Amino acid sequence: LFRSIHADITEVDLQNAICAGDDNGYIHIAQMNGGMPFDLLWDNGATINNLNNLSAGIYCVDIDVLESCVIDTSYCFEITEPDPLLYSIVDTAYIDSLSGFVISIDISGGTEPYGEATWSGPNGFVDTGLSIQNLTDGGAYVFSMSDANGCSLDFSARYVK
């Protein structure tokens, strides 16, 4: 009699990409059963248990149990990533010569909660939040913030007097 052996992955450690576009995900096959020597063949050509530096996508592995009458097994794993951290300018307005210019933005994507939004600008200007006002000095106003994963969003808005 021949006995069929079916190799199973019983434990996998999987890390998704931390920020949109990152290649820091991984798939680590931590434990298998089947009791026989086996070969792994990933769809990217790798033949090891641990795939590192992965971007978002689907990664499949074929398991071939050696020295037996075997039922080959395939598994697929998905590495995901958060949506990109984006901004959109909601409002820009000149109020008057005393109140100056206003810039308001919205944030989307990334992983909430978002960190504190900070602005810096000409002549030592510093502010926090998604809306800044009383901009009376022309120049670049730099916005910076991070999401819960530490993914950063930085951009510059120029106010021309």
Side-chain angles (χ1 to χ4, degrees), residues 93-105:
Y94 179 75
I95 308 300
D96 59 39
S97 62
L98 293 175
S99 299
F101 196 75
V102 174
I103 300 173
S104 295
I105 64 168

Side-chain angles (χ1 to χ4, degrees), residues 87-93 102-107 130-131 155:
Y87 74 93
S88 59
I89 295 178
V90 177
D91 186 28
T92 59
V102 174
I103 300 173
S104 295
I105 64 168
D106 273 340
I107 303 298
L130 298 180
S131 182
F155 72 89

Side-chain angles (χ1 to χ4, degrees), residues 12 57 93 121 128 130 139 153 160:
V12 175
T128 59
L130 298 180
L153 173 64
V160 178

Side-chain angles (χ1 to χ4, degrees), residues 33 46 58 61-62 65 70 74 80 84 96 112 124 135 139 144-145 153:
N33 70 11
I58 296 176
V61 62
D62 292 326
V65 179
V70 173
S74 294
T80 62
D96 59 39
E112 293 188 39
L135 308 181
S144 182
M145 67 159 280
L153 173 64

